[in-house]
Amino acid sequence: MVTAYDYPSALHVDRAGMDVLLVGDSCAMVELGYDTTQPMTLDQMLHHCQAVKRGASRSLLVADMPFGSYEYSDTDIALRNAYRLIKEAGMDAVKLEGGSKARATTVRTLVEGGVAVMGHVGLTPQAISVIGGFRAQGRTATRARALLDEALRLEDAGAFAVVLECVPGNVAEAITKSLEIPTIGIGAGAGTSGQVLVYHDMLGMLSHPHHEQFMPKFCKRYAQVGHAIKDGLEEFKADVESGEFPGNQYSPYKMNESEKELFDDLLESDADERKLHHEDNAKKLKQADEYEQLSLYGHKK
């Protein structure tokens, strides 16, 4: 499983043959520039899911339900929001975080309402305010056993799979062996049924030779796309400044000679008029600019 957030990334993930494509609320961080996933709204998720749907044709599409869209004691709210992701965005399933009894009740409501649900336990990024930040989970025997109970609870509620995030490998393996449904690990060792990584992290999308973006310890970088992007942009800038681009090679649209002559005649016929028009416009723009400088805060600085 790999994340995708827009049409191009969905095309790449789908064409690579990934079994599952997750439209994650991690979009808030890697696409929208937030520090956490919490600001992501349902409307924003719908927008990104719709774009992903247009780019993917074979992968199973799973959408994160964003923070604040499913936690209510009235589980019908979660069901209504899940229906929007299925009906309006074309998702195949939704994912929600946590394995408490209340969360299991929500999962059961969604499943009974016809929505396929993927669970998520361990590090649950939407709850960082409660768990004290992006920290590994299940590193004590008591907490590890609690995570197993949460996963079992989600399975009993009807979840078809569970993400295990940032937990010790032996804990993830024990949970996987205890469940009939598949587990998908992220920072959870090799003992899970499958693995997931964030698109931008694994491809080095935000990497730069002079400013390396934070990379999670569990993420293997399979490419340095950010370096290639930097090189391409800098080369374009240099080519434009030097006049090398576009040049004749990238200027494919031509007039035949007779049309060129006609066009030159048309330009010549009203050259004086266009010159006056140009000078008049330049004068107006200069006056407008001076007006703005004088009127800013009531005085000229």
Side-chain angles (χ1 to χ4, degrees), residues 18-37:
M18 298 299 169
D19 298 310
V20 185
L21 189 161
L22 172 66
V23 189
D25 60 356
S26 49
C27 176
M29 301 175 71
V30 298
E31 287 277 332
L32 304 182
Y34 291 111
D35 292 329
T36 74
T37 64

Side-chain angles (χ1 to χ4, degrees), residues 2 22 32 63-64 71 74 98 112 125 130 152 196 207 235 292:
V2 175
L22 172 66
L32 304 182
D64 267 333
E71 296 88 345
D74 180 359
E112 290 177 353
V130 176
L152 288 167
V196 59
S207 63
E235 186 176 352
E292 290 296 331

Side-chain angles (χ1 to χ4, degrees), residues 162-204:
V162 178
V163 170
L164 306 177
E165 180 168 359
C166 294
V167 300
N170 63 308
V171 176
E173 185 174 1
I175 293 174
T176 300
K177 289 179 177 179
S178 299
L179 300 179
E180 290 298 318
I181 60 175
T183 59
I184 301 174
I186 178 167
T192 54
S193 311
Q195 299 289 328
V196 59
L197 285 176
V198 171
Y199 182 85
H200 291 63
D201 292 343
M202 68 178 294
L203 296 180

Side-chain angles (χ1 to χ4, degrees), residues 223-273:
Q224 297 280 8
V225 176
H227 291 207
I229 291 173
K230 167 189 169 290
D231 292 344
L233 291 172
E234 289 181 349
E235 186 176 352
F236 167 68
K237 179 175 181 288
D239 280 359
V240 171
E241 290 175 343
S242 69
E244 183 174 342
F245 181 84
N248 287 331
Q249 182 180 358
Y250 299 102
S251 302
Y253 310 110
K254 310 294 184 183
M255 273 182 165
N256 61 44
E257 290 303 318
S258 61
E259 291 297 331
K260 283 183 182 178
E261 291 177 7
L262 287 173
F263 183 55
D264 289 342
D265 289 342
L266 289 173
L267 292 177
E268 183 65 27
S269 68
D270 64 351
D272 292 340
E273 181 182 345

Side-chain angles (χ1 to χ4, degrees), residues 68-169:
S69 69
Y70 62 90
E71 296 88 345
Y72 305 93
S73 56
D74 180 359
T75 56
D76 282 345
I77 296 175
L79 183 59
R80 285 196 295 271
N81 289 333
Y83 280 153
R84 292 193 67 192
L85 288 165
I86 303 300
K87 292 169 68 68
E88 296 178 32
M91 296 293 101
D92 299 309
V94 300
K95 180 170 77 66
L96 43 77
E97 296 181 2
S100 65
K101 292 179 180 178
R103 193 69 74 248
T105 299
T106 301
V107 171
R108 183 172 288 106
T109 298
L110 268 57
V111 172
E112 290 177 353
V115 178
V117 178
M118 178 181 287
H120 184 151
V121 299
L123 171 59
T124 48
Q126 293 176 3
I128 60 167
S129 299
V130 176
I131 63 178
F134 295 100
R135 297 179 178 180
Q137 302 294 306
R139 291 191 290 184
T140 66
T142 300
R143 182 57 189 141
R145 174 61 213 213
L147 288 179
L148 171 58
D149 291 339
E150 290 177 7
L152 288 167
R153 196 177 289 131
L154 292 171
E155 180 180 59
D156 290 343
F160 72 88
V162 178
V163 170
L164 306 177
E165 180 168 359
C166 294
V167 300

